[in-house]
Amino acid sequence: MAPFDPLSALLGGVLIGVASVLLMVLNGRIAGISGIVGGLLAPGTADKGWRIAFVVGLIAAPLLFALAGLSPAVPDMPASWLLIVAAGLLVGFGTRLGSGCTSGHGVCGIARFSPRSLVATAIFMAVAVATVAVVRHVLGG
């Protein structure tokens, strides 16, 4: 795992905030990744152009970062691909169940003082803490 770098964390947070504000101001949309991808995969969605541009930007950003000679932090994933895929599907199911993900509720919703987003983000964090505790201390992972 890469060591914590407060400068890159600050820069990443600022970039996420600026991108969210720009999407809201210029397009009137919330930067919730699960909603953006869900709308992209749903048949009959008319506004796919900005969704595709947003997802391409998410994928291209670390590639451009690497081309600029900087090395992006690569997370260490000490798990099998089957477990990673299963976890991703569970996260996708949970975000649809909660009508949003950490970016939509945690970044945009809390910034708008949405009570629903405060509750959703608190639940996300509590489940994350419980999951890590079970995986590390009960299952020995």
Side-chain angles (χ1 to χ4, degrees):
M1 181 178 285
F4 176 69
D5 178 8
L7 185 58
S8 67
L10 177 64
L11 180 61
V14 168
L15 288 174
I16 289 170
V18 169
S20 298
V21 168
L22 285 176
L23 186 63
M24 174 64 83
V25 169
L26 299 176
N27 206 11
R29 300 293 185 162
I30 299 289
I33 306 306
S34 62
I36 291 171
V37 173
L40 193 59
L41 298 175
T45 304
D47 57 349
K48 290 191 187 254
W50 72 268
R51 293 174 191 271
I52 292 170
F54 196 93
V55 172
V56 167
L58 286 176
I59 295 168
L63 299 175
L64 293 174
F65 197 73
L67 286 175
L70 304 168
S71 60
V74 177
D76 183 25
M77 303 288 281
S80 70
W81 279 103
L82 182 63
L83 183 60
I84 292 170
V85 169
L89 290 173
L90 285 173
V91 168
F93 176 73
T95 59
R96 297 309 287 178
L97 193 65
S99 298
C101 58
T102 52
S103 57
H105 283 299
V107 175
C108 300
I110 288 179
R112 295 173 35 232
F113 304 111
S114 166
R116 184 178 75 144
S117 292
L118 284 170
V119 171
T121 304
I123 291 171
F124 295 157
M125 295 301 121
V127 171
V129 168
T131 301
V132 169
V134 167
V135 169
R136 288 200 176 166
H137 302 295
V138 176
L139 301 177

